[in-house]
Amino acid sequence: MHLTAEAFSFLILIALMAGSIDALAGGGGLLTIPALMAAGVPPVAALATNKLQSTIGTGSAVLTFLRAGRIDMKAFAIPAAGAFAGSVLGATAVQHVNPSFLAGFVPVLLIAMGFYFLLAPKMSDEDRHARLGHVGITAVCSVIGFYDGFFGPGTGSFLTTALVALAGLGLVRAIANTKFINLATNVAGLLAMIAGGEVLWILGFSMAAANIAGNQIGAWLAIRFGGRGVRPLLVVMSFALTIKLLADPSNPLWSLLK
């Protein structure tokens, strides 16, 4: 498909911003997926292209956190494997969904995400007692992985919350290990989307370069300051993007509201 120079530049800027937010607390897809759809990219292709740029950007953040000694790969290898399997199933399922249904469903999920960020409990920087064992954490990560493969926005925030509330990790440790698990879900979803021939490669790699830069900025900020200040921004973004998508008369939800 053809994009104007203005639309292409806009998507590159969005990818930079999304990478920074993603490395801090997750939720960068709240920017990139609606932006891709607003630029005229079909829903499934938007999810696939977003998965490409997100995978590369997340990988760069993982390297940064690894160098800082923040990721416990041994402890979270099995949860990451479960999340990988869940993401493959989700990404395969979404390719068999009617695109018009998906376009109408996106605003509903964004509204749910906004209330989630608004009402989620405050996160602490201190480690606490884990409420779930290894099997339970793996099951939770697998379910979140399915969501990431099927839709994606907010996956990092879901994982971070789960690792804080259920695995007992402090906020910065949770953010770092979230990126490791999220990389697994991104790779799995990307492979499934590649198999389905849905990725827009030139756009995806261009956005990935900007996403890498954003992830490096966000990872440094997370290590230096923590990610607590990002949640209010995600609340505002999720509701603002919902309004933007619903303002488009071509959205299938309009036919339901008439």
Side-chain angles (χ1 to χ4, degrees):
M1 65 172 296
H2 175 72
L3 292 174
T4 65
E6 291 80 6
F8 196 88
S9 299
F10 169 72
L11 291 174
I12 297 302
L13 177 60
I14 290 295
L16 175 67
M17 296 171 59
S20 299
I21 293 170
D22 233 3
L24 279 166
L30 289 169
L31 281 176
T32 51
I33 291 178
L36 284 161
M37 292 172 62
V41 179
V44 176
L47 292 174
T49 304
N50 177 69
K51 195 63 68 179
L52 171 61
Q53 64 94 27
S54 179
T55 298
I56 297 173
T58 299
S60 73
V62 167
L63 291 176
T64 299
F65 282 121
L66 277 173
R67 287 195 295 266
R70 301 283 185 167
I71 296 179
D72 189 345
M73 297 186 69
K74 182 178 180 180
F76 289 98
I78 294 179
F84 182 97
S87 184
V88 169
L89 292 176
T92 301
V94 76
Q95 294 179 69
H96 296 87
V97 173
N98 189 310
S100 63
F101 166 79
L102 187 59
F105 195 47
V106 166
V108 177
L109 288 177
L110 287 172
I111 291 172
M113 289 300 303
F115 280 109
Y116 164 76
F117 291 129
L118 185 63
L119 302 175
K122 182 179 179 180
M123 299 178 183
S124 170
D125 286 321
E126 302 296 328
D127 287 354
R128 299 180 299 172
H129 177 70
R131 296 183 179 181
L132 289 181
H134 210 59
V135 173
I137 293 298
T138 299
V140 170
C141 289
S142 299
V143 172
I144 296 175
F146 179 88
Y147 166 80
D148 189 35
F150 187 87
F151 183 54
T155 296
S157 293
F158 280 140
L159 286 169
T160 298
T161 300
L163 295 186
V164 171
L166 303 177
L169 300 187
L171 181 59
V172 176
R173 284 189 65 211
I175 291 172
N177 286 285
T178 283
K179 301 314 292 182
F180 173 54
I181 298 171
N182 207 174
L183 179 61
T185 66
N186 280 338
V187 169
L190 176 60
L191 292 175
M193 291 293 187
I194 290 173
E198 299 289 350
V199 180
L200 302 179
W201 292 100
I202 295 177
L203 176 60
F205 279 124
S206 299
M207 292 179 70
N211 194 281
I212 288 173
N215 263 280
Q216 291 303 304
I217 295 170
W220 180 83
L221 290 172
I223 293 170
R224 182 70 176 83
F225 301 108
R228 288 164 292 179
V230 178
R231 189 168 70 174
L233 178 60
L234 290 175
V235 173
V236 173
M237 285 194 310
S238 59
F239 288 125
L241 291 170
T242 299
I243 294 171
K244 180 177 178 60
L245 284 177
L246 289 178
D248 182 1
S250 66
N251 191 289
L253 281 179
W254 279 106
S255 62
L256 298 178
L257 297 174
K258 292 179 180 179

